[in-house]
Every structure is written in structure tokens, then in C-alpha cells.
Amino acid sequence: MAYYSAKTYYMNPILELPSGKGYADVVYLPRRNVDKPALLVELKWNHSAKGAIAQIKEKRYASWVENYTGEILLVGVNYDEKKGHDCVIEKHIL
């Protein structure tokens, strides 16, 4: 549902975007004249959302969108079979 809801404000998501030292799972870039942040999303299974954020930073996934002039949010999402899901969102600081 998140993919469909985002279409109002964001272009089609870019999946497995090569950037930095690996691939960002999902990148959302806002449509023109929309005041929304770019989103870099890393998905994990049975790990941690904090670990997903650490991977985004370590592998420099934001390097591809650093010329974007607006705010960039790093989003780490983990689904754990026993605990359910958790999510961490941080502002990207250059």
C-alpha cells in the first residue's frame, strides 16, 4: 500500500539503485513542485532497522542523491519473524 500511496507525491520508486558501494533497496524521489524529502529505504529480514541505517551510511547509498537540493531521509525497515517489524528514520546529514 505504501507504494501506491506514495504516487501522489513521488515519482515511481527506483528499486535496487546502484549507489555508493552497493545497491539501495528502494529510492523515492519527490515529484517537481512537491515539498517532500527524498527517501532511501533499506529493507532487512531478521536483522535490525538500526543495522539497515548503518548499512546505508557505511555503503554511502546517499551519494547518488546528494546533489538533490531538498531533505533526504534514511529509512531502515526490518521484519523479524518473532518480534514483528521495526523502523528507524533519520535525516541525512552531508
Side-chain angles (χ1 to χ4, degrees), residues 2-3 5-15 17-19 24-41 61-75 92:
Y3 288 121
S5 298
K7 285 188 170 253
T8 303
Y9 303 107
Y10 292 91
M11 295 185 282
N12 288 333
I14 303 166
L15 306 176
L17 175 73
S19 62
D25 286 334
V26 184
V27 176
Y28 286 95
L29 296 174
R31 295 182 180 277
R32 290 183 185 189
N33 302 318
V34 172
D35 188 26
K36 298 288 181 189
L39 306 173
L40 293 172
V41 183
Y61 291 167
S63 66
W64 188 81
V65 293
E66 283 181 346
N67 290 331
Y68 172 71
T69 57
E71 185 176 48
I72 301 170
L73 296 180
L74 312 179
V75 182
H92 175 63

Side-chain angles (χ1 to χ4, degrees), residues 33-52:
N33 302 318
V34 172
D35 188 26
K36 298 288 181 189
L39 306 173
L40 293 172
V41 183
E42 180 66 23
L43 305 170
K44 291 292 182 192
W45 176 265
N46 289 333
H47 290 296
S48 74
K50 287 182 182 181

